[in-house]
PDB file of all heavy atoms in Angstrom:
ATOM      1  N   ALA B 154     -16.726  -9.327  -5.723  1.00 88.00           N
ATOM      2  CA  ALA B 154     -15.336  -9.866  -5.385  1.00 88.00           C
ATOM      3  C   ALA B 154     -15.420 -10.796  -4.186  1.00 88.00           C
ATOM      4  O   ALA B 154     -14.906 -11.939  -4.162  1.00 88.00           O
ATOM      5  CB  ALA B 154     -14.294  -8.879  -5.068  1.00 88.00           C
ATOM      6  N   ASP B 155     -16.292 -10.426  -3.185  1.00 88.00           N
ATOM      7  CA  ASP B 155     -16.390 -11.291  -1.960  1.00 88.00           C
ATOM      8  C   ASP B 155     -17.036 -12.605  -2.041  1.00 88.00           C
ATOM      9  O   ASP B 155     -16.954 -13.563  -1.277  1.00 88.00           O
ATOM     10  CB  ASP B 155     -17.220 -10.550  -0.854  1.00 88.00           C
ATOM     11  CG  ASP B 155     -16.406  -9.337  -0.345  1.00 88.00           C
ATOM     12  OD1 ASP B 155     -15.140  -9.525  -0.219  1.00 88.00           O
ATOM     13  OD2 ASP B 155     -17.016  -8.297  -0.104  1.00 88.00           O
ATOM     14  N   SER B 156     -17.785 -12.768  -3.198  1.00 89.00           N
ATOM     15  CA  SER B 156     -18.451 -14.026  -3.471  1.00 89.00           C
ATOM     16  C   SER B 156     -17.926 -14.945  -4.590  1.00 89.00           C
ATOM     17  O   SER B 156     -18.392 -15.992  -4.793  1.00 89.00           O
ATOM     18  CB  SER B 156     -19.978 -13.721  -3.769  1.00 89.00           C
ATOM     19  OG  SER B 156     -20.439 -12.816  -3.004  1.00 89.00           O
ATOM     20  N   ILE B 157     -16.783 -14.455  -5.110  1.00 91.00           N
ATOM     21  CA  ILE B 157     -16.204 -15.271  -6.156  1.00 91.00           C
ATOM     22  C   ILE B 157     -14.983 -16.120  -5.671  1.00 91.00           C
ATOM     23  O   ILE B 157     -14.127 -15.577  -4.871  1.00 91.00           O
ATOM     24  CB  ILE B 157     -15.629 -14.210  -7.315  1.00 91.00           C
ATOM     25  CG1 ILE B 157     -16.775 -13.431  -7.761  1.00 91.00           C
ATOM     26  CG2 ILE B 157     -15.035 -15.192  -8.366  1.00 91.00           C
ATOM     27  CD1 ILE B 157     -16.451 -12.485  -8.917  1.00 91.00           C
ATOM     28  N   TYR B 158     -14.931 -17.351  -6.190  1.00 91.00           N
ATOM     29  CA  TYR B 158     -13.799 -18.237  -5.706  1.00 91.00           C
ATOM     30  C   TYR B 158     -13.307 -18.988  -6.909  1.00 91.00           C
ATOM     31  O   TYR B 158     -13.953 -19.138  -7.914  1.00 91.00           O
ATOM     32  CB  TYR B 158     -14.353 -19.297  -4.721  1.00 91.00           C
ATOM     33  CG  TYR B 158     -14.862 -18.714  -3.464  1.00 91.00           C
ATOM     34  CD1 TYR B 158     -16.208 -18.148  -3.322  1.00 91.00           C
ATOM     35  CD2 TYR B 158     -14.085 -18.569  -2.386  1.00 91.00           C
ATOM     36  CE1 TYR B 158     -16.646 -17.551  -2.252  1.00 91.00           C
ATOM     37  CE2 TYR B 158     -14.538 -17.920  -1.188  1.00 91.00           C
ATOM     38  CZ  TYR B 158     -15.789 -17.482  -1.139  1.00 91.00           C
ATOM     39  OH  TYR B 158     -16.116 -16.859   0.038  1.00 91.00           O
ATOM     40  N   ARG B 159     -12.095 -19.246  -6.857  1.00 91.00           N
ATOM     41  CA  ARG B 159     -11.447 -20.014  -8.006  1.00 91.00           C
ATOM     42  C   ARG B 159     -11.156 -21.354  -7.570  1.00 91.00           C
ATOM     43  O   ARG B 159     -10.632 -21.651  -6.447  1.00 91.00           O
ATOM     44  CB  ARG B 159     -10.053 -19.318  -8.315  1.00 91.00           C
ATOM     45  CG  ARG B 159      -9.405 -19.985  -9.598  1.00 91.00           C
ATOM     46  CD  ARG B 159      -8.186 -19.045  -9.894  1.00 91.00           C
ATOM     47  NE  ARG B 159      -7.211 -19.099  -9.072  1.00 91.00           N
ATOM     48  CZ  ARG B 159      -5.914 -18.758  -9.360  1.00 91.00           C
ATOM     49  NH1 ARG B 159      -5.677 -18.218 -10.513  1.00 91.00           N
ATOM     50  NH2 ARG B 159      -4.855 -18.715  -8.405  1.00 91.00           N
ATOM     51  N   LEU B 160     -11.313 -22.355  -8.426  1.00 89.00           N
ATOM     52  CA  LEU B 160     -11.115 -23.747  -8.200  1.00 89.00           C
ATOM     53  C   LEU B 160      -9.692 -24.042  -8.373  1.00 89.00           C
ATOM     54  O   LEU B 160      -9.185 -23.610  -9.486  1.00 89.00           O
ATOM     55  CB  LEU B 160     -11.923 -24.725  -9.005  1.00 89.00           C
ATOM     56  CG  LEU B 160     -13.485 -24.501  -8.669  1.00 89.00           C
ATOM     57  CD1 LEU B 160     -14.308 -25.331  -9.617  1.00 89.00           C
ATOM     58  CD2 LEU B 160     -13.815 -24.910  -7.278  1.00 89.00           C
ATOM     59  N   THR B 161      -8.998 -24.564  -7.442  1.00 87.00           N
ATOM     60  CA  THR B 161      -7.619 -24.996  -7.682  1.00 87.00           C
ATOM     61  C   THR B 161      -7.336 -26.411  -7.502  1.00 87.00           C
ATOM     62  O   THR B 161      -8.021 -27.152  -6.720  1.00 87.00           O
ATOM     63  CB  THR B 161      -6.681 -24.181  -6.845  1.00 87.00           C
ATOM     64  OG1 THR B 161      -6.966 -24.611  -5.490  1.00 87.00           O
ATOM     65  CG2 THR B 161      -6.876 -22.788  -7.007  1.00 87.00           C
ATOM     66  N   HIS B 162      -6.397 -26.963  -8.194  1.00 82.00           N
ATOM     67  CA  HIS B 162      -5.989 -28.418  -7.948  1.00 82.00           C
ATOM     68  C   HIS B 162      -4.600 -28.505  -8.385  1.00 82.00           C
ATOM     69  O   HIS B 162      -4.273 -28.878  -9.468  1.00 82.00           O
ATOM     70  CB  HIS B 162      -7.003 -29.335  -8.833  1.00 82.00           C
ATOM     71  CG  HIS B 162      -6.443 -30.659  -8.906  1.00 82.00           C
ATOM     72  ND1 HIS B 162      -6.419 -31.410 -10.108  1.00 82.00           N
ATOM     73  CD2 HIS B 162      -5.897 -31.564  -7.992  1.00 82.00           C
ATOM     74  CE1 HIS B 162      -5.931 -32.655  -9.814  1.00 82.00           C
ATOM     75  NE2 HIS B 162      -5.719 -32.738  -8.607  1.00 82.00           N
ATOM     76  N   ILE B 163      -3.743 -28.293  -7.407  1.00 79.00           N
ATOM     77  CA  ILE B 163      -2.291 -28.281  -7.514  1.00 79.00           C
ATOM     78  C   ILE B 163      -1.944 -27.147  -8.511  1.00 79.00           C
ATOM     79  O   ILE B 163      -1.003 -26.368  -8.290  1.00 79.00           O
ATOM     80  CB  ILE B 163      -1.736 -29.629  -8.161  1.00 79.00           C
ATOM     81  CG1 ILE B 163      -2.117 -30.711  -7.163  1.00 79.00           C
ATOM     82  CG2 ILE B 163      -0.255 -29.521  -8.248  1.00 79.00           C
ATOM     83  CD1 ILE B 163      -1.811 -32.137  -7.832  1.00 79.00           C
ATOM     84  N   TYR B 164      -2.695 -27.114  -9.639  1.00 82.00           N
ATOM     85  CA  TYR B 164      -2.448 -26.016 -10.530  1.00 82.00           C
ATOM     86  C   TYR B 164      -3.579 -24.983 -10.318  1.00 82.00           C
ATOM     87  O   TYR B 164      -4.681 -25.385  -9.730  1.00 82.00           O
ATOM     88  CB  TYR B 164      -2.450 -26.439 -12.047  1.00 82.00           C
ATOM     89  CG  TYR B 164      -1.617 -27.616 -12.300  1.00 82.00           C
ATOM     90  CD1 TYR B 164      -2.274 -28.881 -12.363  1.00 82.00           C
ATOM     91  CD2 TYR B 164      -0.276 -27.645 -12.338  1.00 82.00           C
ATOM     92  CE1 TYR B 164      -1.488 -29.976 -12.655  1.00 82.00           C
ATOM     93  CE2 TYR B 164       0.454 -28.714 -12.570  1.00 82.00           C
ATOM     94  CZ  TYR B 164      -0.198 -29.937 -12.776  1.00 82.00           C
ATOM     95  OH  TYR B 164       0.554 -31.043 -12.926  1.00 82.00           O
ATOM     96  N   SER B 165      -3.551 -23.808 -10.979  1.00 84.00           N
ATOM     97  CA  SER B 165      -4.752 -23.046 -11.037  1.00 84.00           C
ATOM     98  C   SER B 165      -5.690 -23.383 -12.221  1.00 84.00           C
ATOM     99  O   SER B 165      -6.674 -22.772 -12.268  1.00 84.00           O
ATOM    100  CB  SER B 165      -4.362 -21.582 -11.114  1.00 84.00           C
ATOM    101  OG  SER B 165      -3.731 -21.297 -12.326  1.00 84.00           O
ATOM    102  N   PHE B 166      -5.303 -24.364 -13.000  1.00 85.00           N
ATOM    103  CA  PHE B 166      -6.182 -24.866 -13.951  1.00 85.00           C
ATOM    104  C   PHE B 166      -6.848 -26.131 -13.415  1.00 85.00           C
ATOM    105  O   PHE B 166      -6.222 -26.903 -12.771  1.00 85.00           O
ATOM    106  CB  PHE B 166      -5.367 -25.204 -15.308  1.00 85.00           C
ATOM    107  CG  PHE B 166      -4.647 -24.065 -15.787  1.00 85.00           C
ATOM    108  CD1 PHE B 166      -3.271 -23.892 -15.496  1.00 85.00           C
ATOM    109  CD2 PHE B 166      -5.282 -23.132 -16.681  1.00 85.00           C
ATOM    110  CE1 PHE B 166      -2.642 -22.778 -16.044  1.00 85.00           C
ATOM    111  CE2 PHE B 166      -4.619 -22.070 -17.181  1.00 85.00           C
ATOM    112  CZ  PHE B 166      -3.311 -21.950 -16.860  1.00 85.00           C
ATOM    113  N   VAL B 167      -8.028 -26.386 -13.677  1.00 87.00           N
ATOM    114  CA  VAL B 167      -8.751 -27.501 -13.235  1.00 87.00           C
ATOM    115  C   VAL B 167      -9.389 -28.292 -14.324  1.00 87.00           C
ATOM    116  O   VAL B 167      -9.395 -27.844 -15.457  1.00 87.00           O
ATOM    117  CB  VAL B 167      -9.664 -27.251 -12.109  1.00 87.00           C
ATOM    118  CG1 VAL B 167      -8.987 -26.631 -10.906  1.00 87.00           C
ATOM    119  CG2 VAL B 167     -10.696 -26.273 -12.635  1.00 87.00           C
ATOM    120  N   HIS B 168     -10.116 -29.432 -13.903  1.00 86.00           N
ATOM    121  CA  HIS B 168     -10.820 -30.171 -14.887  1.00 86.00           C
ATOM    122  C   HIS B 168     -12.104 -29.582 -15.267  1.00 86.00           C
ATOM    123  O   HIS B 168     -12.737 -28.851 -14.542  1.00 86.00           O
ATOM    124  CB  HIS B 168     -10.883 -31.596 -14.492  1.00 86.00           C
ATOM    125  CG  HIS B 168     -10.825 -31.754 -12.985  1.00 86.00           C
ATOM    126  ND1 HIS B 168      -9.579 -31.764 -12.392  1.00 86.00           N
ATOM    127  CD2 HIS B 168     -11.719 -31.948 -12.012  1.00 86.00           C
ATOM    128  CE1 HIS B 168      -9.640 -31.909 -11.128  1.00 86.00           C
ATOM    129  NE2 HIS B 168     -10.945 -31.965 -10.848  1.00 86.00           N
ATOM    130  N   GLY B 169     -12.631 -29.824 -16.566  1.00 85.00           N
ATOM    131  CA  GLY B 169     -13.705 -29.203 -17.105  1.00 85.00           C
ATOM    132  C   GLY B 169     -15.018 -29.347 -16.406  1.00 85.00           C
ATOM    133  O   GLY B 169     -15.732 -28.334 -16.055  1.00 85.00           O
ATOM    134  N   PRO B 170     -15.464 -30.612 -16.029  1.00 88.00           N
ATOM    135  CA  PRO B 170     -16.814 -30.716 -15.392  1.00 88.00           C
ATOM    136  C   PRO B 170     -16.930 -30.238 -14.022  1.00 88.00           C
ATOM    137  O   PRO B 170     -18.172 -30.126 -13.491  1.00 88.00           O
ATOM    138  CB  PRO B 170     -17.145 -32.265 -15.593  1.00 88.00           C
ATOM    139  CG  PRO B 170     -15.841 -32.869 -15.760  1.00 88.00           C
ATOM    140  CD  PRO B 170     -14.894 -31.786 -16.241  1.00 88.00           C
TER     141      PRO B 170
END
Side-chain angles (χ1 to χ4, degrees):
Chain B
D155 289 324
S156 310
I157 301 179
Y158 296 83
R159 181 173 72 166
L160 294 176
T161 65
H162 167 224
I163 305 178
Y164 316 102
S165 63
F166 303 93
V167 296
H168 17 284

